[in-house]
Amino acid sequence: IKTRTGKILFETYFDKMVNETVAPEDMVPIGNSQQPLTRSNSHGSNSNLETLNHGVKDTLNYRIRTVDKDGKGPVSLWHDISLVHIDPDTDQETPYLNFVNEIPKFSRKKYEIATDEVGNPIKQDEKKGTLREFKKGDIFFNYGCLPQTWEDPTFVHPDAEGCRGDNDPLDVCEIGARIIKPGDIRPVKILGVLCMIDEGEADWKLVTIDAEDKWAPFLNNIEDVEEQLPGQLDAIREWFRTYKIPDGKPPNVFGLDEKFMDKAYAMGIVTECHHAWEELVSGEKERKLAEMPESVKTMVRKLSKHNLLDVEVERDFIPTGQIDPPDFAEDHDDEEALDF
């Protein structure tokens, strides 16, 4: 797999997971076996990172930025965190994936990675100048995304009711006991996935658990969640079905007969979205857009050029320690921003 990070050898077990019985903790099914994974600037865990608050909380300008503790350089939570978790003590891959949290459990402020801002800080979403919260109430699981993934708005998954990707990183519901702060990175076990259809877009929701959670040894696949934590999956589905109703919108719907698919299926979605991200950051996706509608071309160009190239320029020219130049986030209209 090619990513934006230095070369290491990356061993994977996707074929084994699909075709053989293997201990769940032995499997990291991304890509093809023994492919090189590049890792120059990416971080495999949160061990050398810290988050800094910029601006006044509960205002439109408030941002949570991530920096490297050593050089104090800016770190993109979308592009500079490796998909596979790396043990900071051994510098070896683990069986887990990295999860970037945006919204802590038992809270309602709609924090999200700003995919169209340089450096991809976390911000509170807004619409027409008003900061957004869930009118439904507090969310009951940690919610965020997998780094180095992208739900391609030009791709129609065969199980997604004819809907294209939602143009965001792959969403994650983490069901452990820990309340995870915005911007924190945790290793997680992938358990399954739900296919939500959100206003005509495919919006996959991964179900995961923190690898260090006390329930983690008992949860290795989606059926374990139903067996050990009965009602949890139904509650997650109902949250996503109804959270927009207080805003005057209809309930969301789901593909695949509303079923939560198992770990093997979920890892297929992860692999697909990681490859899509690779095409985005390499520029390959933009080169393939000739037959796409102009609205789709604009979305992809905004991410691949404004965001990625400017991030590289910023890394090259901002002196060490100066990670907060005068408001480098562009003003933009979030009226068309994609939901949740």
Side-chain angles (χ1 to χ4, degrees), residues 4 271 306:
R4 304 173 77 225
T271 302
H306 162 77

Side-chain angles (χ1 to χ4, degrees), residues 193-339:
V193 69
L194 177 68
C195 180
M196 188 174 89
I197 307 300
D198 186 357
E199 299 185 16
E201 295 170 340
D203 194 2
W204 298 92
K205 307 297 183 185
L206 289 170
V207 179
T208 73
I209 189 163
D210 191 310
E212 297 179 3
D213 192 89
K214 291 181 178 180
W215 278 102
F218 306 100
L219 303 179
N220 296 305
N221 213 323
I222 200 68
E223 61 266 21
D224 297 330
V225 181
E226 189 58 40
E227 178 182 332
Q228 300 292 331
L229 303 172
Q232 177 80 266
L233 297 179
D234 289 340
I236 291 173
R237 187 194 300 110
E238 289 311 301
W239 166 269
F240 286 117
R241 188 194 309 277
T242 61
Y243 83 94
K244 287 186 176 181
I245 292 177
D247 294 309
K249 295 183 178 181
N252 283 317
V253 298
F254 304 90
L256 294 163
D257 297 322
E258 301 195 351
K259 294 178 182 177
F260 284 84
M261 306 304 287
D262 66 11
K263 178 176 181 174
Y265 187 100
M267 290 308 303
I269 299 298
V270 173
T271 302
E272 173 186 289
C273 291
H274 179 63
H275 290 325
W277 172 85
E278 290 176 326
E279 286 198 334
L280 175 69
V281 298
S282 69
E284 182 65 22
K285 173 54 61 176
E286 189 172 351
R287 291 190 285 272
K288 294 179 178 179
L289 290 180
E291 304 302 319
M292 288 292 114
E294 192 59 37
S295 58
V296 174
K297 293 179 183 179
T298 300
M299 283 195 296
V300 174
R301 287 173 185 149
K302 189 171 186 180
L303 295 181
S304 63
K305 289 199 171 182
H306 162 77
N307 186 32
L308 303 179
L309 297 183
D310 285 358
V311 167
E312 293 306 317
V313 169
E314 180 165 4
R315 286 203 186 103
D316 290 342
F317 292 102
I318 293 181
T320 299
Q322 297 183 19
I323 63 163
D324 192 28
D327 201 9
F328 57 63
E330 290 188 353
D331 293 332
H332 60 280
D333 184 3
D334 277 332
E335 175 106 23
E336 301 301 322
L338 297 167
D339 284 326

Side-chain angles (χ1 to χ4, degrees), residues 4 13 33 67 70 75 82 98 104 117 119 131 150 184 188 199 202 230 242 253 278 287 289 309 323 331 337:
R4 304 173 77 225
Y13 303 96
S33 180
V67 298
D70 292 336
V75 173
S82 65
N98 279 318
E117 291 185 14
L131 294 172
W150 180 52
D184 274 4
V188 295
E199 299 185 16
T242 61
V253 298
E278 290 176 326
R287 291 190 285 272
L289 290 180
L309 297 183
I323 63 163
D331 293 332

